[in-house]
Amino acid sequence: MSAVFPGSFDPITSGHMDVLTRAARIFDHVTVTVMHNARKRGHHLFDLEERVAILEEATRHLPNVSVDTFGGLLVDYMRLQNRSIIVRGLRAVSDYEYELQIAHLNRQLGDVETVFIMAATRWSFVSSSMVREIASYGGEVDEIVPQASAKALRLKFADVQRPE
Ligand code: PNS
């Protein structure tokens, strides 16, 4: 059985990697699909192509994982790819309300099931937005993102002038 792990992945974090690795043990194949989140419009650091490139590098060691991108509705993607299972990670209760709403909406719109994987508590405080903020000030993110993300963040912020 195959599943889709959709998200913004701007960039992928160790929390995403934890959920993805565990999903890849459960499902025969997992497609990580980089999508637009309307709530984050205008707040992206990496464009879609950059995010896909980071994901491809970060997931190279996972043989049953592939990377894709789609600009429309998740349910349309699921239908086009003939998939019916969405994987999403939950870090804390605060994620639940939003995830519950989109899981119900996606099932209503596209007859797809959402399977939740609880992110390891070790990563429960990690989010892409926090990672971007830390990296923008030259902070150390190597522990909380895969190497591919850390490298891309260093390159992105290499020329930024920071206050003393
Ligand atoms: O990593 P994120 O930002 O929490 O992922 C959210 C994402 C991209 C999966 C969600 O915004 C999404 O499914 N976007 C595609 C457009 C869509 O289907 N929106 C309706 C969701 S009810």
Side-chain angles (χ1 to χ4, degrees):
M1 195 175 274
S2 298
V4 172
F5 181 37
S8 315
F9 304 113
D10 186 34
I12 187 162
T13 67
S14 299
H16 293 130
M17 286 302 293
D18 169 50
V19 170
L20 174 61
T21 308
R22 287 159 57 202
R25 283 190 216 126
I26 299 169
F27 297 100
D28 298 318
H29 187 271
V30 181
T31 308
V32 191
T33 307
V34 185
M35 307 197 75
H36 295 295
N37 182 338
R39 304 196 319 172
K40 298 177 181 170
R41 193 162 287 155
H43 292 93
H44 289 305
L45 176 65
F46 296 103
D47 63 31
L48 281 181
E49 290 71 28
E50 290 173 315
R51 284 182 261 159
V52 167
I54 295 167
L55 271 162
E56 278 173 347
E57 192 178 332
T59 60
R60 201 166 285 153
H61 63 292
L62 297 169
N64 62 335
V65 169
S66 58
V67 180
D68 197 7
T69 182
F70 188 70
L73 279 178
L74 179 52
V75 287
D76 289 337
Y77 178 78
M78 299 297 286
R79 188 166 18 84
L80 286 168
Q81 299 296 320
N82 202 20
R83 299 286 169 84
S84 60
I85 299 173
I86 296 166
V87 170
R88 291 283 288 171
L90 285 178
R91 285 167 300 190
V93 180
S94 49
D95 285 339
Y96 179 74
E97 210 170 322
Y98 169 67
E99 293 297 336
L100 179 75
Q101 186 181 9
I102 62 169
H104 280 309
L105 277 171
N106 283 330
R107 199 155 74 89
Q108 172 90 27
L109 291 170
D111 197 22
V112 288
E113 287 295 347
T114 302
V115 172
F116 292 105
I117 294 182
M118 311 301 154
T121 50
R122 176 164 188 219
W123 310 120
S124 61
F125 60 94
V126 175
S127 67
S128 296
S129 59
M130 289 298 170
V131 163
R132 292 196 300 273
E133 184 165 341
I134 295 165
S136 74
Y137 290 107
E140 182 67 58
V141 292
D142 295 60
E143 288 283 303
I144 54 176
V145 294
Q147 267 182 24
S149 297
K151 196 170 72 184
L153 285 161
R154 268 194 292 275
L155 278 173
K156 190 62 98 179
F157 292 115
D159 299 328
V160 174
Q161 302 290 320
R162 295 192 187 85
E164 292 297 306

